[in-house]
């Protein structure tokens, strides 16, 4: 199958540091190539892949600190990936709705995986306008704000099976991993650790948009003997950072579409403590691979129950449900269903005289 993978340009594929969507694009791409498919990746020039790389810009946009127009590469990408007919059997876009106008005018089938939250009011009109576009959700909860959309399937994320190693024992600290932002509630992670009397290590980046929040709401809380702020770490550093933790604390206060960090923890054998938000109950089995809580009090209480959980069960859940090869197989099955539907429509159109009126 000739497949185009179209990645956001903000980070390279895979990203050098933080970047969930681009990591998933990389995992899908590499698995598809390993399966024997002819894959072309449209991404930034500093990406690394075994597929054919169509470099849209020399480097990821986040790394370009000079004065330049960020919209220009995005427009070029859409034209080169979505505006050319005949080169691919199917185009898999990870640009959310940005590719819809060009794809609507192209005969090549396109499917779009949505990686973000969908409960924002300004999104409904755009998805109604392009209601014919096949969409993939990354969790069942993600699609709830738009139940009427053209959902082609739900495919949970997956990681390479050997990316993280199983850690049978912890070093007795809690971990917070991701980015500092209001919806991730790092302040509550700190409160939980203090109340439980357990050290907390925080590996997180601070985006410019969240700098004011960090300085006002988080930085003043870091001056405590139990709290250690590590900063942004690479994928390679995550293995021991997460794997050596007694639990990963995810007090997210927003409808989390998936939460890649959750399955990173499971791959390491580390239980997860999280609120019942968005996809969390789909990924974490309460009382088995972690605890799904409602309040700070429940989370503090759950910290004391973590030693009762079997870390090997966390790794087993990852192996059973959240590997990259499973994810790629699900996407191939989805591509085949879409192409079969297109073929059926074409045959019906031909049988009806190609739409000619007599």
């Amino acid at each position: 199958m000739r497949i185009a993978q179209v990645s956001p340009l903000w980070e390279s594929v895979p990203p050098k540091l933080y970047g969930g969507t681009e990591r998933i694009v990389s995992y899908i791409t590499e698995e598809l190539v390993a399966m024997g498919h002819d894959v072309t990746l449209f991404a930034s020039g500093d990406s690394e892949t075994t597929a054919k790389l169509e470099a849209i810009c020399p480097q990821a946009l986040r790394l370009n600190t000079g004065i330049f127009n960020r919209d220009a590469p995005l427009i070029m990408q859409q034209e080169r990936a979505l505006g050319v007919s005949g080169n691919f059997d199917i185009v898999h876009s990870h640009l959310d709705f940005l590719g819809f106008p060009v794809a609507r005018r192209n005969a090549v089938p396109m499917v779009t995986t949505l990686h973000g939250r969908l409960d924002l009011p300004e999104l409904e009109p755009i998805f109604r306008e392009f209601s014919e576009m096949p969409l993939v959700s990354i969790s069942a909860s993600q699609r709830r704000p738009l139940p009427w959309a053209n959902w082609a399937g739900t495919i949970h994320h997956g990681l390479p099976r050997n990316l993280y190693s199983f850690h049978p024992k912890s070093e007795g600290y809690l971990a917070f991993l991701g980015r500092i932002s209001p919806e991730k509630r790092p302040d509550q992670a700190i409160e939980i650790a203090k109340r439980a009397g357990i050290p907390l290590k925080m590996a997180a980046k601070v985006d410019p948009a969240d700098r004011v929040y960090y300085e006002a709401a988080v930085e003043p809380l870091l001056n405590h003997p139990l709290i250690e702020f590590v900063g942004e770490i690479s994928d390679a550093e995550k293995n021991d950072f997460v794997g050596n933790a007694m639990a990963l604390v995810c007090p997210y206060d927003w409808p989390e579409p998936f939460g890649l960090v959750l399955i990173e923890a499971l791959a390491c054998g580390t239980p997860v403590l999280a609120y019942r938000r968005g996809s969390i109950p789909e990924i974490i089995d309460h009382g088995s691979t972690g605890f799904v809580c409602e309040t700070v009090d429940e989370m503090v209480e759950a910290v004391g129950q973590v030693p009762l959980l079997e870390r090997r069960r966390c790794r087993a859940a990852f192996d059973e449900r959240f590997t990259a090869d499973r994810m790629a197989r699900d996407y191939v099955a989805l591509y085949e269903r879409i192409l079969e539907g297109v073929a059926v429509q074409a045959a019906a159109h031909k049988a009806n005289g190609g739409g000619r009126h007599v």
Side-chain angles (χ1 to χ4, degrees):
M1 196 181 306
R2 298 172 302 166
I3 306 167
Q5 292 289 330
V6 188
S7 175
L9 300 175
W10 190 243
E11 303 283 354
S12 63
V13 177
K16 302 299 185 284
L17 291 173
Y18 187 90
T21 298
E22 293 83 2
R23 287 180 62 202
I24 292 300
V25 174
S26 177
Y27 300 151
I28 296 171
T29 299
E30 300 311 305
E31 290 290 339
L32 291 175
V33 172
M35 294 167 69
H37 296 284
D38 182 1
V39 186
T40 300
L41 172 65
F42 292 84
S44 60
D46 51 350
S47 299
E48 298 178 5
T49 180
T50 57
K52 301 173 186 175
L53 177 62
E54 285 285 341
I56 304 300
C57 50
Q59 63 179 9
L61 299 185
R62 183 163 83 98
L63 300 179
N64 194 327
T65 58
I67 299 175
F68 71 105
N69 189 314
R70 288 175 169 81
D71 292 335
L74 299 178
I75 297 300
M76 181 63 72
Q77 181 184 41
Q78 291 177 48
E79 178 59 27
R80 288 172 61 180
L82 310 178
V84 180
S85 298
N87 292 341
F88 306 106
D89 296 313
I90 194 165
V91 174
H92 186 174
S93 172
H94 302 268
L95 305 180
D96 289 338
F97 53 79
L98 292 181
F100 288 177
V102 177
R104 171 179 273 179
R105 292 158 176 81
N106 193 333
V108 178
M110 183 181 83
V111 62
T112 300
T113 295
L114 301 176
H115 292 266
R117 64 188 300 176
L118 301 177
D119 60 331
L120 305 178
E122 62 271 19
L123 294 181
E124 181 174 345
I126 196 78
F127 284 103
R128 287 205 182 274
E129 169 62 34
F130 294 94
S131 60
E132 79 277 12
M133 293 293 173
L135 307 174
V136 176
S137 53
I138 56 177
S139 67
S141 67
Q142 184 196 30
R143 61 167 70 181
R144 288 173 187 159
L146 306 174
W148 42 263
N150 187 20
W151 296 110
T154 294
I155 298 179
H156 285 157
H157 288 335
L159 305 174
R161 196 176 294 272
N162 297 323
L163 182 63
Y164 297 104
S165 60
F166 173 63
H167 292 61
K169 296 181 179 179
S170 81
E171 295 183 358
Y173 64 87
L174 300 173
F176 178 92
L177 177 64
R179 59 185 171 88
I180 298 295
S181 61
E183 66 271 15
K184 298 290 187 179
R185 296 311 302 262
D187 57 324
Q188 290 197 3
I190 294 171
E191 179 184 355
I192 290 163
K194 290 179 180 178
R195 288 177 54 181
I198 302 293
L200 172 69
K201 294 185 179 183
M202 308 181 73
K205 75 167 183 173
V206 183
D207 284 331
D210 296 314
R211 173 62 57 176
V212 172
Y213 167 75
Y214 167 75
E215 294 176 350
V218 179
E219 192 172 28
L221 304 177
L222 301 179
N223 187 23
H224 189 282
L226 288 176
I227 310 303
E228 178 183 353
F229 187 78
V230 178
E232 188 173 7
I233 62 176
S234 66
D235 282 342
E237 295 171 304
K238 288 180 183 179
N239 187 48
D240 286 340
F241 177 81
V242 177
N244 290 331
M246 63 179 292
L248 183 73
V249 182
C250 303
Y252 303 158
D253 193 19
W254 75 306
E256 177 66 67
F258 184 83
L260 199 55
V261 66
L262 304 177
I263 63 174
E264 291 173 342
L266 297 182
C268 294
T270 301
V272 176
L273 307 180
Y275 289 143
R276 189 179 300 278
R277 303 286 189 274
S279 65
I280 301 296
E282 294 179 46
I283 301 171
I284 303 303
D285 297 323
H286 181 75
S288 177
T289 61
F291 293 104
V292 181
C293 307
E294 302 287 353
T295 64
V296 171
D297 289 340
E298 286 189 15
M299 194 86 79
V300 173
E301 182 179 352
V303 172
Q305 302 299 312
V306 167
L308 302 178
L309 302 178
E310 296 182 13
R311 295 177 69 90
R312 193 167 296 279
R313 178 57 201 148
C314 295
R315 175 67 197 201
F318 167 78
D319 288 331
E320 293 165 6
R321 301 175 56 199
F322 300 115
T323 61
D325 59 318
R326 186 276 309 157
M327 174 176 62
R329 290 195 304 270
D330 287 350
Y331 273 113
V332 169
L334 177 72
Y335 301 155
E336 291 173 345
R337 290 198 303 271
I338 291 174
L339 293 176
E340 182 180 353
V342 170
V344 169
Q345 290 180 354
H349 183 71
K350 183 177 180 179
N352 291 328
R356 294 191 303 269
H357 297 282
V358 294

